[in-house]
Amino acid sequence: MFYPFELEKYLEMLLPPRDELLLEMEREALVETIPVVTPAVGHFLQLLLETAGARSILEIGTATGYSTIYLARGARQTGGRVLTIDMNKGRMDRAVEYIAKAGLKDLVEFRFGNALKILPELSGRFDFIFVDAAKGEYRQYVELILPLMADGGILVLDNVLFRGWVVPGSVYDSKYNNMVETLRAFLQYLAELPGYKLSVLPFGDGLAIVRKNGPFEKTLPKNSSCKEQKE
Ligand SMILES: C[S@@+](CC[C@H](N)C(=O)[O-])C[C@H]1O[C@@H](n2cnc3c(N)ncnc32)[C@H](O)[C@@H]1O
């Protein structure tokens, strides 16, 4: 049985207290139904990024910047930077304000537009990539992301279990059949990607963790910083 709500509430109880800014963003996301990551997922992203020592960080799906704050706080520990992409101008403008309020503005570069257009324009390598955008486009993002991944780099994708319905035997409304089938096929594609390892973690809305084989360089490769990409 899959009890995401109870699981998430319990995991949240085990987290350190969150500051007022994150709590305000959570309240706002709830009221406006902006599907931000759960606190447990945000905490995990930061922990994983710091554990890897990742420095060149890419996010697809900024929204108002809740997950970006966790990524940028991790980047502050590793000496890294975050490039974050979203196609919703209103949300991105708010993210810019929140990141400034969090004192992280020097660590984050914002790119407004469709990730499917922006990703092919990026050069260099990223050692940590977080995808939390349109589930139906995940396969397309990944095909564009793979050439951008550093050896040993980590790709995390949110929502891959889609409320647990991707697990065979789940009961859900037939209007979600297409999305569930698309996500099952997508996870199978990730599982069979040569040169990469996949683990799927059943918390939040389901996280796929993909690691590119090879030694992790732990340094910013030339031409890979967000700043350089901007220039
Ligand atoms: C689930 S929200 C992101 C939440 C955010 N990661 C957080 O946890 O705080 C998804 C965002 O992806 C953006 N998005 C969807 N498709 C996109 C695309 N093709 N290119 C850029 N952004 C996209 C939407 O505008 C939306 O703000």
Side-chain angles (χ1 to χ4, degrees):
M1 274 297 211
F2 196 74
Y3 291 111
F5 182 76
E6 287 84 351
L7 174 66
E8 217 55 37
K9 278 283 142 207
Y10 178 60
L11 295 182
E12 194 177 321
M13 281 167 52
L14 303 174
L15 298 176
R18 301 186 294 291
D19 58 36
E20 190 43 47
L21 185 70
L22 286 177
L23 294 174
E24 180 191 331
M25 294 173 82
E26 287 166 23
R27 284 192 294 270
E28 192 184 85
L30 198 64
V31 170
E32 297 181 31
T33 59
I34 301 169
V36 302
V37 295
T38 64
V41 169
H43 181 82
F44 172 73
L45 288 172
Q46 184 176 345
L47 185 151
L48 183 63
L49 187 162
E50 289 178 14
T51 304
R55 299 179 72 193
S56 44
I57 300 147
L58 173 65
E59 177 181 53
I60 301 169
T62 322
T64 54
Y66 182 76
S67 53
T68 319
I69 288 187
Y70 285 100
L71 295 175
R73 286 180 176 167
R76 190 166 54 193
Q77 297 302 317
T78 62
R81 285 173 57 81
V82 181
L83 171 64
T84 186
I85 301 172
D86 204 294
M87 63 194 298
N88 181 318
K89 186 77 171 74
R91 286 183 182 174
M92 183 162 267
D93 288 346
R94 283 156 71 188
V96 170
E97 280 176 32
Y98 276 126
I99 294 292
K101 269 193 198 169
L104 297 163
K105 80 174 173 161
D106 292 343
L107 300 180
V108 180
E109 182 192 339
F110 297 88
R111 191 73 65 91
F112 165 66
N114 189 333
L116 296 174
K117 292 234 168 77
I118 293 173
L119 286 169
E121 294 165 3
L122 299 181
S123 58
R125 293 284 180 274
F126 293 90
D127 44 35
F128 192 97
I129 302 170
F130 177 53
V131 175
D132 185 18
K135 292 185 282 296
E137 295 178 345
Y138 273 17
R139 171 89 185 239
Q140 293 174 76
Y141 302 146
V142 169
E143 283 169 1
L144 296 170
I145 282 168
L146 294 183
L148 297 171
M149 276 179 83
D151 285 350
I154 297 170
L155 165 64
V156 181
L157 303 112
D158 194 21
N159 308 112
V160 296
L161 294 179
F162 192 24
R163 304 173 198 174
W165 297 336
V166 171
V167 180
S170 306
V171 179
Y172 53 87
D173 194 304
S174 59
K175 69 181 178 191
Y176 297 114
N177 278 348
N178 273 351
M179 186 52 74
V180 167
E181 287 307 323
T182 300
L183 285 167
R184 283 183 186 153
F186 174 65
L187 286 176
Q188 196 59 41
Y189 157 76
L190 290 183
E192 291 168 7
L193 260 184
Y196 296 81
K197 292 187 188 74
L198 167 72
S199 274
V200 178
L201 304 183
F203 72 106
D205 199 25
L207 291 178
I209 317 291
V210 181
R211 184 180 185 273
K212 183 172 178 178
N213 290 342
F216 185 44
E217 292 173 30
K218 285 219 176 195
T219 52
L220 268 182
K222 278 204 174 73
N223 303 322
S224 74
S225 82
C226 306
K227 204 164 176 209
E228 283 163 358
Q229 282 162 5
K230 194 177 163 190
E231 284 160 3

